[in-house]
Amino acid sequence: MTDLAQPLPAAGFQIRPRRLSPEASRARTRSRYAAEQRFKLVGLLAVLTSLGLLALLLSTVVLQGYSAFVQTQIRLPVALNAAELDPDGRRDPAALAKADYAAVLNDALYRLFPEVTERRAKRALRGLLSTGAAIQLRQAVLAEPGLIGTTAELWLLASDDIDQLFKGFVDRSSAQADRRVTDAELGWVATLEQTGRIETTFNKWLFTNGDSREPELAGVWGAIVGSFYMMLVTLCLAVPLGVGAALYLEEFAPKNNRWVDLIEVNINNLAAVPSIVFGLLGLAIYLQLFGLPRSAPLVGGLTLALMTLPIIVVATRAALRAVPPSIRQAALGIGASKIQMVTDHVLPLAMPGILTGTIIGMAHALGETAPLLMIGMVAFIMNVPAGPLDPATVLPVQIYLWADSPERAFTERTAAAIMILLGFLLLMNLFAVILRQRLQTKW
Amino acid sequence: MVSPMNAPQQTPRPAQTGSAQTSSAQTGLVQTGLAEPARAGFGAPAPAASPVPEPRMTARNVNLWYGQKQALFEVSLDIPKHQVTALIGPSGCGKSTFLRCLNRMNDTIEGVRMEGDIRLDGRDIYDRSIDVVELRQAVGMVFQKPNPFPKSIYDNIAYGPRIHGLAQDKAELDEIVENSLKGAGLWTEVQDRLDTPGNSLSGGQQQRLCIARAIAVSPEVILMDEPCSALDPIATAHIEELIDALRANFTIAIVTHNMQQAARVSQKTAFFHLGKLIEHDDTEQIFTNPRQSMTQDYITGRFG
């Protein structure tokens, strides 16, 4: 019917057909195929290059860090003399906790190597064990007071130098002055090895301890808990604010309004602000102005919430815009109010997109370091934080701190902490993918 | 759009059993199940029947602009009670725009400005005292493309009564859902799978689901914006029979591109061209003896 309204071509008008010669046509086909092949090849090369670089990065980290998941221990026959540990004989835990376990351990070492008599050599011998070994012994005695009066065979932490030696990171052929382990220590370790008194076990301390100056005692648990509190604060703040802002801007704000445009531009710009600037902001506002405690996950969470906010707003708006207008019309058409339309239909349909954006934003925040340096979370903190107001450190900052430490044993721990952080990020992304697939609605 | 996969569900059924039989049964159910609803907000009690049906909705001198562009010019039209009014005309003539004025769906479009006077049972629907939510409950709408919510069939129907508080308990809601689906001629096809998603139905079934959803809130007027343009002929025939059946309880205004459809389902026809109402009269009059030559040209296919 509409065709009738179109003017017909004038009578006598003809279009002369144009045809390429068969050769020219073939040549064009060939060059078209060649162009396609080239494009595919370049694309494939790009993908392979990035995959290769990623594999290189990951393998470096894994190769450096795998050894941190085991820890060298030494088995010692420890004589737990009742007179020495528990003079009044009442097995009072308070009294037991105060006993000098380091001396007990030293005696055990001297008895194992009776040939060592010189003062300096004795000090070196004491260095076989970690300073944490005394704490281990105390815990063992407190857990089982029946050990007192016997000679117990106990596995105790070796010091970091011995740990590195036993894991094979010390070049035995180099000159004594060039290595951290003396010839005497090499001999003692060899003796221990022959008698089966030294071996590596799973390094549970890496997962249960806070930070420490001694590599063999340093763990990421404090950083994990700190990260958890910080992410909790970020989540509670950034998600409601971000989703609310996006909902308002997308569904309720007047269109073509100068102020709304200004806000939109600023939100998009906020996403591009360098993270260190957010750190400065946190320092100036939260610490100086509000007087919140330094190094606290609360402040870190507040700062990172600012940084995550634009990511969540942008992702939420994209998800809201992807909800088909026909659904909005359907809701309005049966008399739903705008709020009912949004909460009953638009928001549930946009949920997978919002959740994905949120998790990506949170993963981004979990890996962030720079702004946290500005608010003092770079401090050395041994305790595991008990709440968001306690001083704490977080995983990426812990990595930064360990990477900065001179001991050889911290190198492998840095790589191990990177692996743990990557594991958490991977888990979060996996969660995002699963959520998206679960909640996706088919139209 | 009815995909080839959906079509076979409907085609095997003979047209007589599929349409005539069920529709007569359903028509009866429509009248018992969905008797004239009593309402507080709109709709004065109907006066004694008069030979000329009085208008349920009246539009007077409606002008409408999309930004700078004027889309409707001085349109005045009555939508009579318990009749089907068809709005026809070439694309872009303003018939859909006019239809959307009747339940203020144009409010949701940015930059629309309207002048004129539209009344539902004598009340100005653009008056400040009118709540647009209440208006849209009284004047329901069915869209061109079937747009069920991505929820179960039951929830699709139950949503409207829920938000308007029309059911006191679950049993009442069940009854509304059942009656609405019966009214839309869908009950026998879906009664044993009410919890399956609404968009798992075929295109024609989806559109009937949308009609059921519209009548579930007991509207007085149902606006249909080319409800069959995305459907195959069999589904279209279903909907057309349904429209005829619904006329007993509701007042209907339908936009259509299909002139045969207008002739089949409507009692009144209004012809729009370039935003102006050219002619409106009884459908029979328009299709057999139009007063305007432009109408004559359009319905005979000489332009459009």
Side-chain angles (χ1 to χ4, degrees):
Chain A
M1 235 172 277
T2 33
D3 294 342
L4 286 173
Q6 303 293 323
L8 288 165
F13 178 82
Q14 275 200 336
I15 301 166
R16 196 154 41 84
R18 292 164 182 274
R19 297 265 184 279
L20 290 176
S21 70
E23 299 82 49
S25 173
R26 266 197 298 280
R28 285 181 62 82
T29 310
R30 261 200 311 278
S31 81
R32 198 173 66 230
Y33 284 176
E36 269 174 32
Q37 285 297 327
R38 273 199 303 276
F39 184 79
K40 270 192 212 163
L41 201 70
V42 169
L44 196 65
L45 261 168
V47 170
L48 287 180
T49 312
S50 45
L51 276 182
L53 287 174
L54 189 68
L56 187 72
L57 179 78
L58 286 180
S59 58
T60 314
V61 170
V62 171
L63 282 177
Q64 275 204 355
Y66 76 94
S67 55
F69 291 102
V70 291
Q71 172 68 41
T72 309
Q73 295 208 76
I74 297 172
R75 184 163 57 92
L76 276 188
V78 186
L80 296 163
N81 193 340
E84 203 174 330
L85 293 175
D86 191 22
D88 47 3
R90 283 186 295 145
R91 301 289 187 264
D92 178 22
L96 284 178
K98 277 191 217 137
D100 186 0
Y101 294 97
V104 176
L105 286 178
N106 294 343
D107 288 342
L109 278 170
Y110 301 152
R111 237 173 318 189
L112 203 60
F113 296 99
E115 71 277 12
V116 182
T117 48
E118 199 227 338
R119 239 180 78 115
R120 287 177 62 185
K122 271 183 161 178
R123 197 168 70 198
L125 184 63
R126 292 202 294 270
L128 284 182
L129 283 179
S130 160
T131 50
I135 301 165
Q136 261 183 305
L137 178 62
R138 184 177 65 194
Q139 281 168 349
V141 169
L142 284 175
E144 208 183 329
L147 287 174
I148 295 172
T150 66
T151 299
E153 290 278 346
L154 291 173
W155 284 103
L156 299 161
L157 277 172
S159 73
D160 57 320
D161 287 334
I162 303 303
D163 176 52
Q164 294 300 298
L165 172 73
F166 192 66
K167 284 175 182 167
F169 296 124
V170 174
D171 185 6
R172 289 162 197 254
S173 59
S174 59
Q176 181 170 279
D178 291 347
R179 47 180 146 82
R180 299 263 307 159
V181 192
T182 60
D183 289 339
E185 283 168 329
L186 283 180
W188 295 330
V189 170
T191 314
L192 287 172
E193 216 172 336
Q194 278 158 17
T195 51
R197 291 194 171 276
I198 186 165
E199 65 177 42
T200 55
T201 54
F202 175 70
N203 187 358
K204 63 173 193 222
W205 299 274
L206 182 65
F207 296 96
T208 53
N209 280 6
D211 197 9
S212 171
R213 289 285 183 228
E214 307 296 332
E216 71 274 11
L217 295 175
V220 292
W221 183 241
I224 288 176
V225 173
S227 277
F228 171 76
Y229 284 129
M230 196 182 71
M231 300 314 287
L232 201 67
V233 173
T234 306
L235 191 77
C236 291
L237 206 71
V239 171
L241 274 181
V243 173
L247 268 179
Y248 176 77
L249 285 174
E250 201 57 42
E251 303 287 339
F252 297 99
K255 299 272 180 299
N256 303 324
N257 177 306
R258 194 172 296 188
W259 287 106
V260 174
D261 287 349
L262 193 73
I263 291 171
E264 279 193 47
V265 168
N266 275 304
I267 285 177
N268 290 332
N269 281 344
L270 211 58
V273 170
S275 55
I276 192 91
V277 177
F278 285 107
L280 277 173
L281 187 90
L283 178 64
I285 306 284
Y286 300 135
L287 294 189
Q288 301 284 49
L289 199 65
F290 295 167
L292 291 172
R294 245 161 229 281
S295 304
L298 175 71
V299 181
L302 289 172
T303 309
L304 290 185
L306 289 179
M307 224 186 67
T308 318
L309 204 59
I311 300 176
I312 294 179
V313 171
V314 171
T316 304
R317 294 190 67 183
L320 290 174
R321 241 173 282 156
V323 175
S326 67
I327 296 295
R328 295 162 207 262
Q329 285 190 337
L332 292 178
I334 51 169
S337 67
K338 208 153 182 189
I339 288 278
Q340 285 169 333
M341 172 191 90
V342 170
T343 53
D344 295 348
H345 300 287
V346 178
L347 204 54
L349 291 175
M351 218 24 129
I354 294 174
L355 286 177
T356 311
T358 303
I359 293 171
I360 301 289
M362 294 302 288
H364 194 83
L366 178 62
E368 193 54 69
T369 325
L372 303 179
L373 303 186
M374 300 304 299
I375 56 159
M377 288 196 94
V378 73
F380 170 73
I381 288 146
M382 285 179 65
N383 296 335
V384 175
L389 282 168
D390 283 2
T393 191
V394 293
L395 270 172
V397 175
Q398 188 68 77
I399 292 168
Y400 170 79
L401 282 169
W402 283 354
D404 220 25
S405 302
E407 287 89 349
R408 169 66 181 78
F410 271 126
T411 315
E412 57 178 31
R413 279 182 164 68
T414 307
I418 290 173
M419 282 197 268
I420 292 167
L421 178 61
L422 283 179
F424 277 113
L425 293 178
L426 218 67
L427 268 180
M428 286 175 84
N429 282 324
L430 194 73
F431 191 56
V433 169
I434 291 171
L435 263 184
R436 195 165 36 195
Q437 276 177 352
R438 272 281 174 85
L439 295 174
Q440 206 144 47
T441 324
K442 297 195 174 53
W443 305 108
Chain B
M1 215 61 72
V2 174
S3 71
M5 275 172 64
N6 289 336
Q9 295 178 351
Q10 296 201 336
T11 34
R13 198 167 18 168
Q16 294 90 345
T17 50
S19 47
Q21 223 172 51
T22 48
S23 86
S24 61
Q26 279 150 4
T27 314
L29 286 164
V30 169
Q31 279 152 354
T32 50
L34 287 166
E36 187 76 347
R39 193 193 316 282
F42 282 95
S50 50
V52 180
E54 63 180 287
R56 176 127 266 172
M57 295 195 81
T58 56
R60 291 289 172 269
N61 306 328
V62 174
N63 287 299
L64 185 138
W65 291 262
Y66 288 115
Q68 296 297 311
K69 190 177 169 296
Q70 188 164 4
L72 289 177
F73 298 85
E74 295 292 321
V75 175
S76 295
L77 182 67
D78 288 353
I79 312 282
K81 243 177 214 176
H82 296 306
Q83 293 205 345
V84 178
T85 305
L87 311 180
I88 62 170
S91 296
C93 68
K95 55 194 189 301
S96 287
T97 303
F98 177 73
L99 191 79
R100 295 164 62 90
C101 285
L102 299 178
N103 70 343
R104 294 182 56 176
M105 279 301 272
N106 283 328
D107 289 12
T108 61
I109 301 171
E110 211 69 29
V112 167
R113 190 163 57 86
M114 203 207 90
E115 277 174 10
D117 179 80
I118 300 180
R119 286 172 187 275
L120 171 64
D121 295 322
R123 285 180 66 187
D124 182 1
I125 65 168
Y126 281 84
D127 190 83
R128 278 171 164 272
S129 68
I130 293 291
D131 176 25
V132 69
V133 163
E134 229 172 289
L135 169 72
R136 288 188 191 135
Q137 187 193 344
V139 185
M141 190 153 190
V142 176
F143 297 86
Q144 182 171 1
K145 204 177 144 234
N147 56 354
F149 298 128
K151 301 183 176 189
S152 71
I153 293 172
Y154 184 93
D155 284 335
N156 260 284
I157 312 289
Y159 180 69
R162 263 191 207 129
I163 58 170
H164 294 299
L166 300 185
Q168 301 304 318
D169 50 35
K170 179 86 170 70
E172 226 175 322
L173 195 61
D174 287 348
E175 192 190 324
I176 293 177
V177 170
E178 185 178 336
N179 285 335
S180 305
L181 283 169
K182 280 174 178 167
L186 198 59
W187 176 249
T188 48
E189 289 158 67
V190 301
Q191 56 177 333
D192 46 1
R193 49 174 176 144
L194 289 176
D195 50 350
T196 55
N199 26 26
S200 66
L201 298 172
S202 75
Q205 288 173 323
Q206 284 190 24
Q207 194 62 296
R208 277 179 284 152
L209 179 64
C210 291
I211 292 174
R213 183 176 66 188
I215 61 181
V217 294
S218 318
E220 280 148 32
V221 183
I222 301 173
L223 310 176
M224 299 189 177
D225 191 355
E226 299 184 43
C228 302
S229 65
L231 305 181
D232 67 37
I234 291 165
T236 301
H238 260 92
I239 305 269
E240 285 181 9
E241 279 166 28
L242 176 58
I243 291 170
D244 203 48
L246 290 173
R247 185 160 65 90
N249 290 298
F250 306 100
T251 301
I252 294 169
I254 176 171
V255 163
T256 176
H257 264 125
N258 181 332
M259 255 142 343
Q260 286 81 12
Q261 186 172 70
R264 280 193 300 265
V265 302
S266 70
Q267 286 73 49
K268 299 277 182 196
T269 297
F271 172 60
F272 283 73
H273 185 55
L274 296 178
K276 296 190 178 78
L277 177 62
I278 304 298
E279 183 173 358
H280 91 277
D281 208 333
D282 290 343
T283 299
E284 208 182 324
Q285 182 74 24
I286 292 273
F287 280 94
T288 53
N289 189 18
R291 277 190 291 270
Q292 303 284 334
S293 63
M294 203 185 267
T295 315
Q296 173 87 43
D297 287 352
Y298 181 72
I299 62 171
T300 53
R302 229 166 289 163
F303 90 100

